[in-house]
Short mmCIF file of all heavy atoms in Angstrom, two decimals:
data_model
loop_
_atom_site.label_atom_id
_atom_site.label_comp_id
_atom_site.label_asym_id
_atom_site.label_seq_id
_atom_site.Cartn_x
_atom_site.Cartn_y
_atom_site.Cartn_z
N PRO A 119 -45.74 59.24 5.79
CA PRO A 119 -46.68 59.06 6.90
C PRO A 119 -47.53 60.32 7.10
O PRO A 119 -47.09 61.44 6.84
CB PRO A 119 -45.76 58.82 8.11
CG PRO A 119 -44.49 58.30 7.51
CD PRO A 119 -44.34 59.01 6.20
N TRP A 120 -48.76 60.12 7.57
CA TRP A 120 -49.68 61.24 7.80
C TRP A 120 -50.40 61.02 9.13
O TRP A 120 -50.78 59.89 9.46
CB TRP A 120 -50.69 61.32 6.67
CG TRP A 120 -51.66 62.46 6.79
CD1 TRP A 120 -51.52 63.72 6.29
CD2 TRP A 120 -52.93 62.44 7.48
NE1 TRP A 120 -52.60 64.49 6.60
CE2 TRP A 120 -53.49 63.73 7.34
CE3 TRP A 120 -53.63 61.47 8.18
CZ2 TRP A 120 -54.73 64.07 7.89
CZ3 TRP A 120 -54.86 61.81 8.73
CH2 TRP A 120 -55.39 63.09 8.58
N TYR A 121 -50.59 62.11 9.88
CA TYR A 121 -51.29 62.04 11.16
C TYR A 121 -52.32 63.17 11.21
O TYR A 121 -52.04 64.29 10.76
CB TYR A 121 -50.32 62.19 12.34
CG TYR A 121 -49.22 61.16 12.32
CD1 TYR A 121 -48.02 61.42 11.65
CD2 TYR A 121 -49.37 59.94 12.96
CE1 TYR A 121 -47.00 60.48 11.62
CE2 TYR A 121 -48.36 58.99 12.94
CZ TYR A 121 -47.17 59.27 12.26
OH TYR A 121 -46.17 58.33 12.22
N GLY A 122 -53.48 62.88 11.74
CA GLY A 122 -54.51 63.90 11.86
C GLY A 122 -55.78 63.31 12.43
O GLY A 122 -55.77 62.36 13.22
N SER A 123 -56.90 63.86 11.99
CA SER A 123 -58.21 63.40 12.44
C SER A 123 -58.85 62.54 11.36
O SER A 123 -58.73 62.84 10.16
CB SER A 123 -59.11 64.61 12.74
OG SER A 123 -60.44 64.18 12.96
N PHE A 124 -59.52 61.48 11.78
CA PHE A 124 -60.17 60.60 10.82
C PHE A 124 -61.18 61.35 9.96
O PHE A 124 -61.34 61.08 8.77
CB PHE A 124 -60.88 59.45 11.56
CG PHE A 124 -61.49 58.42 10.65
CD1 PHE A 124 -60.70 57.49 9.99
CD2 PHE A 124 -62.86 58.39 10.43
CE1 PHE A 124 -61.25 56.55 9.15
CE2 PHE A 124 -63.42 57.45 9.58
CZ PHE A 124 -62.62 56.53 8.94
N SER A 125 -61.83 62.34 10.55
CA SER A 125 -62.84 63.11 9.81
C SER A 125 -62.23 63.91 8.66
O SER A 125 -62.93 64.29 7.72
CB SER A 125 -63.59 64.05 10.75
OG SER A 125 -62.69 64.96 11.34
N GLU A 126 -60.93 64.14 8.69
CA GLU A 126 -60.26 64.88 7.62
C GLU A 126 -60.05 64.02 6.38
O GLU A 126 -59.74 64.54 5.31
CB GLU A 126 -58.90 65.40 8.10
CG GLU A 126 -58.95 66.40 9.23
CD GLU A 126 -57.55 66.78 9.66
OE1 GLU A 126 -56.75 67.18 8.79
OE2 GLU A 126 -57.24 66.67 10.86
N THR A 127 -60.16 62.72 6.54
CA THR A 127 -59.85 61.84 5.42
C THR A 127 -61.04 61.02 4.96
O THR A 127 -61.63 61.28 3.93
CB THR A 127 -58.70 60.88 5.81
OG1 THR A 127 -59.07 60.19 7.00
CG2 THR A 127 -57.41 61.64 6.04
N LEU A 128 -61.43 60.03 5.76
CA LEU A 128 -62.43 59.06 5.30
C LEU A 128 -63.85 59.33 5.75
O LEU A 128 -64.77 58.65 5.30
CB LEU A 128 -62.03 57.66 5.77
CG LEU A 128 -60.73 57.10 5.17
CD1 LEU A 128 -60.52 55.68 5.65
CD2 LEU A 128 -60.79 57.14 3.66
N ASN A 129 -64.05 60.25 6.65
CA ASN A 129 -65.39 60.44 7.20
C ASN A 129 -66.38 60.84 6.12
O ASN A 129 -67.33 60.13 5.82
CB ASN A 129 -65.36 61.49 8.31
CG ASN A 129 -66.39 61.20 9.38
OD1 ASN A 129 -67.33 60.49 9.14
ND2 ASN A 129 -66.19 61.77 10.55
N GLY A 130 -66.14 61.98 5.51
CA GLY A 130 -66.94 62.43 4.38
C GLY A 130 -68.42 62.33 4.62
O GLY A 130 -68.94 62.65 5.68
N GLN A 131 -69.10 61.83 3.62
CA GLN A 131 -70.56 61.71 3.67
C GLN A 131 -71.01 60.27 3.93
O GLN A 131 -72.20 59.99 3.85
CB GLN A 131 -71.15 62.19 2.33
CG GLN A 131 -70.77 63.61 1.95
CD GLN A 131 -71.24 64.60 2.99
OE1 GLN A 131 -72.39 64.54 3.44
NE2 GLN A 131 -70.36 65.51 3.41
N ASP A 132 -70.06 59.38 4.22
CA ASP A 132 -70.41 57.97 4.40
C ASP A 132 -70.83 57.72 5.84
O ASP A 132 -69.99 57.75 6.75
CB ASP A 132 -69.21 57.09 4.04
CG ASP A 132 -69.59 55.62 3.89
OD1 ASP A 132 -70.45 55.17 4.67
OD2 ASP A 132 -69.04 54.96 3.01
N PRO A 133 -72.11 57.46 6.10
CA PRO A 133 -72.58 57.29 7.48
C PRO A 133 -71.98 56.06 8.16
O PRO A 133 -71.79 56.05 9.37
CB PRO A 133 -74.10 57.14 7.32
CG PRO A 133 -74.30 56.69 5.90
CD PRO A 133 -73.21 57.34 5.12
N LEU A 134 -71.68 55.01 7.41
CA LEU A 134 -71.09 53.81 8.01
C LEU A 134 -69.68 54.10 8.53
O LEU A 134 -69.29 53.60 9.58
CB LEU A 134 -71.05 52.67 7.00
CG LEU A 134 -72.40 52.00 6.70
CD1 LEU A 134 -72.24 50.94 5.60
CD2 LEU A 134 -72.97 51.36 7.96
#
Side-chain angles (χ1 to χ4, degrees):
W120 182 91
Y121 304 90
S123 170
F124 185 76
S125 61
E126 296 177 53
T127 55
L128 295 184
N129 212 340
Q131 303 300 313
D132 193 323
L134 286 176

